[in-house]
């Protein structure tokens, strides 16, 4: 079986202390959020354990979301299982501290009321958002979806609001007011602190998409990156490089709720490309601050660096699997992107 293993390190990579959390069943797929104002760390994982080990909360479904907090010394403070009816499967997809001393957990949950879930949902599976206080008491919960299946991806804090990145198979029904373009689309839902929907938007083509919001260069203007199997269709306006394959799709979602294909507005280079051990990223002119992010084909950030007062950065990744990756460079003058190939 598997447990949650946490390792605390200092700025030089030296291990300070390490801990294991879990029960007699499997725990896996963890998400972490840190609140420096309270020195608390929130963990969200999938759990198949009943009360056992150092897990003291019961299991409701076949798999539940297990949320627990620790202090910066790794001492377990509070915990709660988030699950539904017996034999159901609940996936915990993201967790985040908010600015008003709350914790939001975003899950994918099957239909039905049971366990700690008090809302039935709209059909199939829904996005299930649970608000917790700092002691992990449930203070609010909402479901988002239509009559088919929805899945959760991540939470993005936007001022006092939160934007949910979801995947959706449903058309206009339930509390979804946006159409479906293909097999499944990106569905972005902006909510206020109480979970009320402020706006929503689907983005996709005639096949399948899977994307996350990764940045907000200006208020209510979002950078989105993910995987797309669609050609020009729906509201996607850029073609695949190879028909029948899938590519990374980078686009902007703006305040008018339109989807704009992304165009780089700064000059970038990456060499050698393809590379084996080291690659150099360059941009025009000395920049006071540059944020460099490397993403895999699923839109997951595998490396993030902040570079100051430089025109380039050499990257020597360790244990990076061969494959195609997307890089994004953010400066005060704009944002640019490109592709690199690791051999």
């Amino acid at each position: 079986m598997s447990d949650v293993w946490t390792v605390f390190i200092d700025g030089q990579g030296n291990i300070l202390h390490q801990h294991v959390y879990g029960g007699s069943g499997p725990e896996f797929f963890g998400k972490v959020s840190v609140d420096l104002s309270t020195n608390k760390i929130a963990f969200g994982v999938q759990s198949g354990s009943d009360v056992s080990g150092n897990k003291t909360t019961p299991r409701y479904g076949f798999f539940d979301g297990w949320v627990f907090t620790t202090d910066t010394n790794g001492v377990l403070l509070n915990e709660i299982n988030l699950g539904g009816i017996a034999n159901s499967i609940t996936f915990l997809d993201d967790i985040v501290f908010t600015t008003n001393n709350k914790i939001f957990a975003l899950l994918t949950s099957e239909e039905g009321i049971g366990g700690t879930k008090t809302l039935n949902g709209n059909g199939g599976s829904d996005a299930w958002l649970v608000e917790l206080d700092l002691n992990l008491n449930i203070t609010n919960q909402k479901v988002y979806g239509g009559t088919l299946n929805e899945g959760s991806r991540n939470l993005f804090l936007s001022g006092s609001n939160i934007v949910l990145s979801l995947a959706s198979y449903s058309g206009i029904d339930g509390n979804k007011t946006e159409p479906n373009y293909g097999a499944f689309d990106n569905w972005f839902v902006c909510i206020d602190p109480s979970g009320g929907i402020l706006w929503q938007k689907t983005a996709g083509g005639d096949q399948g998409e899977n994307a996350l919001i990764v940045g907000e260069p200006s208020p209510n203007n979002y950078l989105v990156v993910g995987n797309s199997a669609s050609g020009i269709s729906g509201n996607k306006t850029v073609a695949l490089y190879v028909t029948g394959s899938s590519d990374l799709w980078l686009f902007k979602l703006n305040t008018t709720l339109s989807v704009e294909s992304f165009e780089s507005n700064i000059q970038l280079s990456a060499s050698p490309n393809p590379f084996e051990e080291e690659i150099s990223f360059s941009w025009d002119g000395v920049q006071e601050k540059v944020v460099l992010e490397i993403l895999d084909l699923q839109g997951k950030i595998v490396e993030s660096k902040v570079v100051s007062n430089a025109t380039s950065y050499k990257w020597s990744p360790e244990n990076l699997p061969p494959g195609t990756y997307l890089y994004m460079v953010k400066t005060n003058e704009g944002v640019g992107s490109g592709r690199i190939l690791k051999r």
Side-chain angles (χ1 to χ4, degrees):
M1 295 298 179
S2 56
D3 291 314
V4 179
W5 178 35
T6 65
V7 180
F8 292 74
I9 60 175
D10 62 20
Q12 286 70 49
N14 301 307
I15 295 177
L16 301 175
H17 47 90
Q18 53 184 293
H19 310 271
V20 173
Y21 309 95
S24 57
E27 277 74 42
F28 53 93
F29 295 151
K31 297 288 185 175
V32 181
S33 183
V34 179
D35 183 21
L36 296 178
S37 66
T38 60
N39 289 322
K40 287 187 174 183
I41 305 171
F43 296 87
V45 301
Q46 267 69 254
S47 175
S49 297
D50 285 306
V51 177
S52 52
N54 55 5
K55 182 175 183 285
T56 63
T57 52
R59 177 168 57 99
Y60 300 105
F62 189 75
F63 279 107
D64 292 339
W66 182 35
V67 176
F68 62 94
T69 55
T70 72
D71 61 17
T72 52
N73 293 314
V75 176
L76 199 152
L77 301 175
N78 300 103
E79 57 180 300
I80 186 173
N81 256 47
L82 300 175
I85 58 177
N87 298 318
S88 65
I89 296 177
T90 300
F91 292 101
L92 199 152
D93 300 293
D94 206 0
I95 191 166
V96 66
F97 284 96
T98 69
T99 56
N100 60 342
N101 292 321
K102 297 288 187 179
I103 298 172
F104 275 105
L106 181 63
L107 308 99
T108 300
S109 175
E110 296 178 0
E111 185 179 14
I113 295 174
T116 49
K117 189 180 179 200
T118 61
L119 301 172
N120 188 40
N122 297 304
S125 61
D126 293 298
W128 180 29
L129 184 70
V130 180
E131 180 190 77
L132 305 161
D133 64 21
L134 295 182
N135 294 317
L136 300 189
N137 300 302
I138 296 177
T139 54
N140 193 15
Q141 54 181 285
K142 299 283 186 180
V143 292
Y144 306 94
T147 55
L148 298 180
N149 291 321
E150 272 66 50
S152 301
R153 294 292 179 262
N154 80 332
L155 297 156
F156 185 85
L157 295 179
S158 178
S160 61
N161 300 321
I162 296 178
V163 184
L164 312 179
S165 295
L166 311 175
S168 175
Y169 287 83
S170 298
I172 299 174
D173 50 38
N175 53 8
K176 186 181 179 207
T177 60
E178 283 282 306
N180 175 268
Y181 295 112
F184 58 94
D185 296 321
N186 304 306
W187 182 30
F188 302 102
V189 182
C190 182
I191 60 173
D192 61 25
S194 65
I197 296 177
L198 299 174
W199 55 260
Q200 56 181 280
K201 183 68 179 179
T202 54
D206 56 7
Q207 299 298 316
E209 274 70 41
N210 178 16
L212 307 173
I213 293 177
V214 296
E216 188 178 10
S218 59
N220 302 312
N221 287 275
Y222 306 98
L223 288 176
V224 186
V225 66
N227 186 269
S228 173
S230 300
I232 298 174
S233 53
N235 55 6
K236 187 184 179 202
T237 59
V238 289
L240 292 171
Y241 280 95
V242 179
T243 302
S245 66
S246 63
D247 287 322
L248 285 171
W249 181 26
L250 181 64
F251 61 92
K252 294 182 285 186
L253 182 65
N254 63 27
T255 52
T256 62
L257 301 188
S258 64
V259 176
E260 300 177 11
S261 298
F262 182 84
E263 296 181 2
S264 179
N265 55 4
I266 58 176
Q267 295 296 314
L268 300 173
S269 65
S271 63
N273 190 15
F275 74 101
E276 294 183 357
E277 296 182 356
E278 183 178 84
I279 186 170
S280 179
F281 299 97
S282 302
W283 45 87
D284 283 348
V286 176
Q287 299 291 330
E288 181 180 354
K289 178 181 178 182
V290 174
V291 178
L292 171 67
E293 292 180 341
I294 315 295
L295 304 98
D296 65 17
L297 290 177
Q298 283 71 48
K300 178 183 176 183
I301 296 176
V302 298
E303 187 76 36
S304 181
K305 294 288 185 181
V306 177
V307 184
S308 301
N309 299 315
T311 61
S312 63
Y313 175 76
K314 289 184 178 181
W315 184 46
S316 304
E318 296 181 1
N319 303 316
L320 182 72
T324 301
Y325 296 85
L326 173 76
Y327 68 91
M328 289 200 304
V329 173
K330 307 174 189 177
T331 74
N332 291 333
E333 297 178 359
V335 180
S337 68
R339 289 166 173 255
I340 55 174
L341 177 62
K342 169 71 163 58
R343 286 179 172 170

